[in-house]
Amino acid sequence: MGILLSFLFFISVFLFLFLLFKFVTADGDFTLVSKKHVKREEIEDKVVWITGASRGIGEILAKQLARLGAKLILSARNEAELERVKRQLTGKHAPDEVKILPLDLTSGEDSLKAAVEKAESIFPGSGVDYMIHNAAFERPKTSALDVTEDGVKATFTVNVLGTISLTRFLVPFMLKRGKGHFVVMSSAAGKTPAPGQAVYSASKYALNGYFHTLRSELFQKGIKVTVVCPGPIETSNNSGVKTSENRGSPEKRVLSERCAELTIVAASHGLKEVWISNQPVLAVMYLVQYMPTMGYWLMDKIGGNRVEAAAQKGNTYSLSLLFAKKKAA
């Protein structure tokens, strides 16, 4: 009987994955892709503050939001790079009205409080409508036992502590106006186990927990939260060339422009959580969410192989990891 049950369990997992692969060909979850278009009226003339805006997804978000007519505040540690991004922006309020606000999420509460106060006063008569928490810290993939205390602190200071502090200082201003929207760039690693990314995954789980709870507490007072969970994303350097990390990679990644587009769609429709990814990551997210026993079984099967693949700079998002041969001890 035990063998039969195990066999049926195994078959049900693969049937579930087969159906997802066959019928879910989009690069986002069902609700997100059903929205299709940005509600421009929710973005135009709104003040949008973006952290981590000097490169990657943050830079692409700035470009798309500028074209939609948003009033932008761009933050990151590198002021020169922020100025470069600003010069490239076009739109109703860009580039002349785009504001640069250098920010280091590790700088402590006094500095972050001062940054919030400045952001709130940059556009006379208008406070921050959207706060896009995009800044993040991620180390190269390694096993959960190989992380260091310094690495844990560095990751959590940026991804969790600094982000939460910035939020705590900004919320009172939003509450006075009776409205405000946080868009949190989390990760698929905050929804499923992420072998090789234990600390990064833990930081994203922490973000998800904090912001979903924040919304539950303050939604009736006008505070909205959209948590965005992207899987692997194809980013480029400042010249538009694929970064060395991704160049030639066999992994199928969502383009950063598409990720930014879907993020803005989600925010403009007030969605509470969205997933952005190609297969197989999207299927695994559904599996862990709705059939957790099967999802965790699957991740347990591939976990060790994924860490090894990362060490060899191989494909860490392939279902072939499930069939990789185990090395002899």
Side-chain angles (χ1 to χ4, degrees), residues 70-311:
K71 299 177 180 178
L72 296 178
I73 303 172
L74 307 181
S75 287
R77 289 179 297 178
N78 192 324
E79 187 170 358
E81 283 298 295
L82 289 174
E83 291 289 352
R84 176 190 61 79
V85 173
K86 176 180 176 178
R87 290 193 296 270
Q88 296 179 356
L89 301 181
T90 58
K92 182 177 181 179
H93 301 287
D96 295 341
E97 296 179 53
V98 174
K99 307 301 181 184
I100 300 299
L101 180 57
L103 179 71
D104 182 353
L105 287 173
T106 69
S107 60
E109 288 197 342
D110 290 342
S111 175
L112 296 179
K113 184 177 182 180
V116 168
E117 292 172 349
K118 185 171 183 179
E120 277 289 314
S121 63
I122 282 181
F123 292 99
S126 301
V128 176
D129 295 298
Y130 290 89
M131 172 81 251
I132 300 183
H133 285 303
N134 175 69
F137 182 88
E138 181 178 7
R139 288 181 176 273
K141 293 182 177 68
T142 184
S143 75
L145 297 181
D146 289 334
V147 300
T148 65
E149 183 177 1
D150 287 342
V152 173
K153 288 180 178 178
T155 302
F156 270 74
T157 298
V158 174
N159 294 3
V160 183
L161 301 179
T163 299
I164 288 177
S165 291
L166 207 62
T167 300
R168 289 193 297 109
F169 296 132
L170 183 56
V171 164
F173 291 98
M174 292 180 168
L175 288 175
K176 287 181 181 178
R177 293 190 296 273
K179 62 178 182 177
H181 196 149
F182 290 95
V183 180
V184 184
M185 299 304 295
S186 182
S187 171
K191 296 296 295 182
T192 72
Q197 298 172 284
V199 175
Y200 178 76
S201 177
S203 72
K204 293 303 184 177
Y205 268 93
L207 268 189
N208 291 358
Y210 178 82
F211 279 99
H212 281 309
T213 301
L214 178 77
R215 184 189 57 245
S216 295
E217 293 178 356
L218 300 179
F219 185 79
Q220 298 299 327
K221 297 181 180 180
I223 304 301
K224 297 180 181 179
V225 172
T226 297
V227 175
V228 182
C229 299
I233 303 298
E234 184 71 80
T235 56
S236 302
N237 62 20
N238 297 340
S239 301
V241 179
K242 291 181 181 180
T243 60
S244 58
E245 179 184 358
N246 299 332
R247 190 185 295 117
S249 170
E251 299 167 358
K252 186 179 180 182
R253 295 168 175 261
V254 176
L255 294 176
S256 54
E257 290 78 7
R258 177 59 172 165
C259 179
E261 176 189 357
L262 289 173
T263 296
I264 298 170
V265 168
S268 69
H269 284 271
L271 302 183
K272 293 175 172 57
E273 179 177 292
V274 297
W275 305 344
I276 301 172
S277 183
N278 287 318
Q279 302 291 11
V281 174
L282 190 61
V284 173
M285 293 175 77
Y286 271 106
L287 195 60
V288 171
Q289 178 83 5
Y290 297 109
M291 305 175 75
T293 298
M294 292 184 180
Y296 290 130
W297 172 85
L298 178 67
M299 295 308 297
D300 290 348
K301 287 290 184 182
I302 70 173
N305 293 329
R306 188 174 194 259
V307 173
E308 290 181 8

